[in-house]
Amino acid sequence: MLHALIAGSGSEIPPNLVKNEALARIMDTSDAWIRERTGVETRYFVDAGTSTTDLAVPAARRALERAGVAPEEVDLVVFATMTPDHFFPGNGGLLQARLGLRPVPCFDIRQQCTGFLYGLQLADAHVRAGLAKTILVVGAEVHTGFMPWSAGAWARLAGDVDAPLAPGEWEFNTRIRHLTVLFGDGAAAVVVRAHEGAGRGVVDHLLAADGADYDKLCVPGVGFKHRPFVDHAQIDRGDFVPIMEGRYVFKMATTRMTEVAQAILARNGLTTGDLSLVLMHQANKRINEYVQRALGIPDEKVVHNIHKYGNTTAATIPLLWDECARAGRIGPGDLVLLVGFGAGMTWGATLVRG
Ligand code: UT7
């Protein structure tokens, strides 16, 4: 029986560290509010012009190097992102070319914060079916393209300008502060390899989606529901900025993540006592603390990094994996539970042995 083993991981964090205090220069917010309600202390932003693929390239190179895999061995790419470089083509092929891979199949998947878990299931299914042996699974995002801030606001954020923002702009930025303070840019990748024998690799997946309430977390405009798909009216209304009903999303995330974690453990005859580590999507530290309490998992088994990076959507779970793997926290055979929830709505859990 072939199993999908995570053989190596890598990540890339962009250069511009932005503290909560810096955001308070361009909107009515504070370090205390953001820390208390979300757990975020800093996030990293790309320079203007850096794309999701630009971040994914070094992350993937590191993952290949740590797995001891040459680029020509890769036989499948799965790229999860909700912030692609272009409307089309997708990022998978761009990454394939930049890494100098053979012309292998490349999937682009859009399950937002659950994207990496969907990607792992695709990789595992290809391994089990004998269709691929060495797969690059990437989660990467450049959220800063969603931040509708003026050049003046960006200059204040960087500390280059001291003068206060014009009142209209300050008010506009404040109206969407519940959203913009959460997100950061980042990329992470894993190399999945076909592995013979039990005791290591992906154990099980449990994925779900329900689009009934998609509009509680979505980008309302710039889509092919409109003709043309983008126009001045949409831009003027700010329809390119995501809508998020924070309290609804919070409630759904805590409920679904708890349920899916319990369900995957139960159907594998496992308990939380069998887990070495739990890596949850990093949207809000309070969400994860709630899920941790509901599952009864001790602090030492739960790793967070939202304080450093904010929510990096498809990159959060592989970023956590990469940090834990490099810190020696995932040994051979260790059972790790990955849990995510995101726009769609989508959610899921994956059990993996290191
Ligand atoms: O990957 C999935 C992505 N999204 C999520 O998972 C988001 C899940 N939801 C959340 O994380 C939380 O709902 C938020 C962090 C978005 C908001 O926290 P909350 O505790 O639910 O706050 P709220 O929306 O109920 O707002 C409470 C107050 C409001 O002021 P008033 O009406 O009480 O005067 C907001 O205007 O906090 C205000 N507020 C802020 N104040 C300072 C909202 N955002 C901010 C802010 N700074 N950034």
Side-chain angles (χ1 to χ4, degrees):
M1 180 74 177
L2 288 173
H3 294 270
L5 176 73
I6 297 183
S9 59
S11 48
E12 173 72 1
I13 299 300
N16 306 309
L17 179 130
V18 178
K19 295 182 178 172
N20 292 339
E21 292 86 347
L23 292 174
R25 293 185 208 129
I26 63 165
M27 66 185 82
D28 183 8
T29 192
S30 65
D31 178 47
W33 193 97
I34 301 171
R35 263 175 210 259
E36 166 69 20
R37 302 286 185 121
T38 73
V40 180
E41 297 170 19
T42 59
R43 74 285 292 140
Y44 292 81
F45 287 164
V46 296
D47 290 327
T50 298
S51 76
T52 303
T53 304
D54 292 332
L55 288 185
V57 168
R61 284 206 178 109
R62 288 183 189 116
L64 290 168
E65 197 183 305
R66 294 204 183 102
V69 164
E72 53 274 18
E73 291 178 73
V74 173
D75 51 13
L76 183 74
V77 173
V78 182
F79 200 129
T81 185
M82 67 167 193
T83 53
D85 300 17
H86 303 283
F87 230 109
F88 77 87
N91 281 11
L94 306 184
L95 183 67
Q96 173 272 333
R98 295 270 297 275
L99 292 174
L101 308 182
R102 291 178 293 120
V104 297
C106 297
F107 287 105
D108 291 277
I109 63 168
R110 297 180 39 176
Q111 280 72 31
Q112 295 67 245
C113 304
T114 325
F116 181 74
L117 300 188
Y118 272 73
L120 266 188
Q121 176 163 303
L122 262 181
D124 188 32
H126 275 76
V127 165
R128 285 172 196 253
L131 290 170
K133 286 194 173 122
T134 306
I135 305 162
L136 204 45
V137 184
V138 180
E141 307 285 353
V142 168
H143 289 120
T144 35
F146 276 138
M147 312 291 181
W149 301 326
S150 66
W154 281 105
R156 284 163 178 81
L157 204 60
D160 297 339
V161 175
D162 275 338
L165 272 187
E169 210 182 318
W170 176 269
E171 274 157 36
F172 174 73
N173 292 350
T174 298
R175 265 206 305 280
I176 49 170
R177 62 185 173 177
H178 64 294
L179 182 84
T180 47
V181 300
L182 300 178
F183 293 93
D185 301 332
V190 299
V191 173
V192 169
R193 298 210 88 174
H195 172 77
E196 290 263 10
R200 296 191 70 191
V202 174
V203 176
D204 196 13
H205 314 261
L206 190 44
L207 302 180
D210 183 348
D213 290 332
Y214 81 94
D215 54 351
K216 310 277 192 219
L217 181 53
C218 72
V219 180
V222 290
F224 289 84
K225 194 173 154 181
H226 306 273
R227 189 189 295 170
F229 82 99
V230 57
D231 58 24
H232 289 289
Q234 292 179 58
I235 302 294
D236 293 344
R237 283 195 303 270
D239 288 356
F240 57 95
V241 180
I243 288 173
M244 184 178 75
E245 284 191 28
R247 284 186 189 188
Y248 174 87
V249 177
F250 193 103
K251 188 160 180 283
M252 290 305 292
T254 51
T255 308
R256 297 301 192 203
M257 285 168 72
T258 305
E259 285 171 359
V260 77
Q262 285 168 336
I264 199 169
L265 288 171
R267 82 176 188 185
N268 286 277
L270 296 164
T271 69
T272 50
D274 296 308
L275 300 171
S276 301
L277 270 185
V278 179
L279 307 182
M280 287 185 260
H281 171 55
Q282 306 285 297
N284 184 325
K285 197 170 179 203
R286 307 294 159 247
I287 292 176
N288 294 358
E289 287 169 344
Y290 181 99
V291 175
Q292 180 187 342
R293 269 198 308 277
L295 295 173
I297 301 169
D299 286 349
E300 61 273 16
K301 290 190 178 178
V302 182
V303 184
H304 305 277
N305 60 14
I306 191 169
H307 55 291
K308 292 188 278 186
Y309 308 127
N311 181 352
T312 56
T313 300
T316 61
I317 294 175
L319 254 175
L320 279 172
W321 179 283
D322 186 45
E323 290 193 329
C324 291
R326 283 189 287 120
R329 292 197 63 179
I330 305 174
D334 283 354
L335 188 63
V336 184
L337 174 65
L338 315 177
V339 193
F341 179 88
M345 307 292 169
T346 55
W347 62 97
T350 308
L351 279 169
V352 195
R353 287 199 182 275

